Amino acid sequence: MGRGAGSTGTARTRQPFAVVNNRQDVNTAAVANAEECSNHEFTKEEVEAILNEKPKAKKFDLKAKYEHAAEHNKKLKLCVKWFQQCDENHVIDAEKLKSSLESAEKRCIDTELEKKNKEEELNTIISELRDNKASLEEKLSKELSEKLDAIDRHTSENEARVAAENSVASLTEELERAQQDIAAANERAASLDNTHKRLQEYILSLQQYNSKLITDLETVRESLKRVEKEKLTIVENLSTLRGHCSSLQEQLTLSRVSQDDAVNQKETLANEVKCLRGELQQVRDDRDRQVSQVQALSAEVTKYKESNGKSLAELDNLTTKSKSLEDTCSSQREQIRILELQLAAANEKLKMTDLSASETRMEYLEQKRIMKELQDRLADMEHKLIDGENLRKKLHNTILELKGNIRVFCRVRPLLPDDGAAAEDAIVSYPTSTESLGRGVDLIQSGQKYPFTFDKVFNHEASQQDVFVEISQLVQSALDGYKVCIFAYGQTGSGKTYTMMGRPEASEQKGLIPRSLEQIFQSSQALREQGWKYKMQASMLEIYNETIRDLLSNNRSSGSDPTRPENSISGKQYTIKHDANGNTYVSDLTIVDVSSISEISSLLRQAAQSRSVGRTQMNEQSSRSHMVFTLRISGINESTEQQVQGVLNLIDLAGSERLSRSGATGDRLKETQAINKSLSCLSDVIFALAKKEDHVPFRNSKLTYLLQPCLGGDSKTLMFVNVSPDPSSVGESLCSLRFAARVNACEIGVPRRQMTLRPTDSRLSYGGS
């Protein structure tokens, strides 16, 4: 019945399932028709085709596979429905089909689960690929940005090179302008010197010329600013010239290498030409030999032709030999021609090599000439820079002398291993602006910056020589008849004694005192040619617990009790006295005549052994007293009958310290209290001078009473403020810098030269004559 029904269904217009397996769109149409016709019948072949049907979608086209499985399920459901409506004769086939359908549904479910798992895996892979794509796009953007930065840097380098060439071209004009400005500055400096002499000669009429001096002072300030700007410009041009000089040296090296290569190539070619000439000569000899053989054979042929009885075979043989010799000769001629061409090419190449070598040599000479010119210009610029710097210092000193201010230099010591602080924790920085370069220092405390400006600032890299160069002109003033005072101030452990005394065992670490004395003696020897003769007297004392002690006394020894007053030992009374002329003397003080630097060095060693030092928690070798070195200079010029009297005071103050940090007890506690009291009195004197009060408390301390001519007289005074970069000492460093700023603002009067025509007094004074 099923077959009959199948045959009847075949006669209808529906599509067979064999076609359904080949075309999916027809299969879908058949399913739609089957849903509409409830009396639709299936053949056995159609049922088997449905059961055996496999998905034809792509491997990863999950959506198509899913749609195909849904359509397949619909067809299976229709088939089951149809089988349920069939006769009882088809029950067995229906059960088989039902089991097949169940297995097919199970496979379909398994397929769907597998598809879902694959879909999840593919989604995971897609997300990973997207992440990789994002990272690759980020890397690509970074590479593009780096490429753009490299292009920008290349462009900036080209612009910088063009700018450097332009600056080199305009350097000559700038030098001419600088020379004109320096000449004008020299003229102004000469006018200032004349004005200064008139001020010394007519001191009583100083008030009448006050307005004129103020006008000249403003002019000098403007000139000084211009000179500083020109100095910066010259320094920049010098750095550019140094860079250009280094590039020319590299080019010169490359030229030398290329010249050596050309010489080697020339030698190689010469050897090749020599070999080719030898081969050519050998070929010519072979050719001549072959030609002679041919001629001999030709003569033999002629001889054989003339003679009777020669056979025709021998004649043919000789003819063959003659032809072969002629062929050999022609081939050798060709070889000779080729060798001659090679020789000509080698000669041409040798000529080109000689030409290239000569061009390289000319280029080398030109580069050498340019480099020599640049080196000469560089040396000239450095010389002019030094002259400009000296002029700036001279003008600056002149301005300060006219103002009458106390000059203040700041020196920052380097971090020491005992400080226990890293370099990045430093509390001191240096501004780089044009106005503050070399004159400014910033102190950082609790994140707040405190800026200070002084006459000169030395960072932690400055050597003892760098520091002395800045004060050498001031020391020279003592030989010219001025009173000069240099003292070091700062907390304990900030480097005051190192600055003033240094380390005598190392020549490059000598302090300001030995270097100043060396300059004094060297300059006095040089002035002998101009008719000057100098007599010098030295003394050294310390103020310990408000008691004056003679460091050059023979009664002192390094092992004596520092707490016992020396007055009670020797019976001497060291009393500070002032005369009507403002000069200061210390009674019973040992005064030693010195005539050489070796004598001075011996006195310094003796004083260092006698000075009071002690150990505290802040400093292993802490100075417990104020040390004062005084050198009195008397000079006489026999030709002009002029006489000058100068005084050089070099003072190493004891360091201020806090009792909570130093841990001082007993005698150390008394020393600390005396030191802090004397420094406090010094601060009171500075405040009174800054406010221009009528009464200045010089008598409150022996230190201030001794320094009265230096702080309130007509001497040239310079203070070194020493600063420690240790973060634990930031409070003391800030106090020291603030005190130094007040000192720098004090006006003590215009320095006066001590020059007379009368015989000198043999007594030694502190700050006076």
Side-chain angles (χ1 to χ4, degrees), residues 38-80:
S38 60
N39 296 326
H40 181 74
E41 297 178 355
F42 293 90
T43 63
K44 183 177 181 180
E45 290 79 5
E46 292 173 344
V47 173
E48 290 177 353
I50 292 173
L51 295 175
N52 296 326
E53 183 178 357
K54 295 180 180 180
K56 294 185 178 181
K58 295 182 180 179
K59 185 176 181 180
F60 297 104
D61 195 355
L62 298 177
K63 185 177 180 181
K65 287 184 178 181
Y66 183 81
E67 292 177 354
H68 185 272
E71 293 174 357
H72 189 256
N73 289 337
K74 290 180 182 180
K75 288 188 287 183
L76 289 174
K77 289 178 181 180
L78 289 174
C79 184
V80 171

Side-chain angles (χ1 to χ4, degrees), residues 237-250 378:
N237 293 333
L238 282 176
S239 62
T240 305
L241 285 175
R242 288 192 178 99
H244 186 58
C245 182
S246 61
S247 64
L248 288 176
Q249 288 178 350
E250 293 176 357
L378 180 62

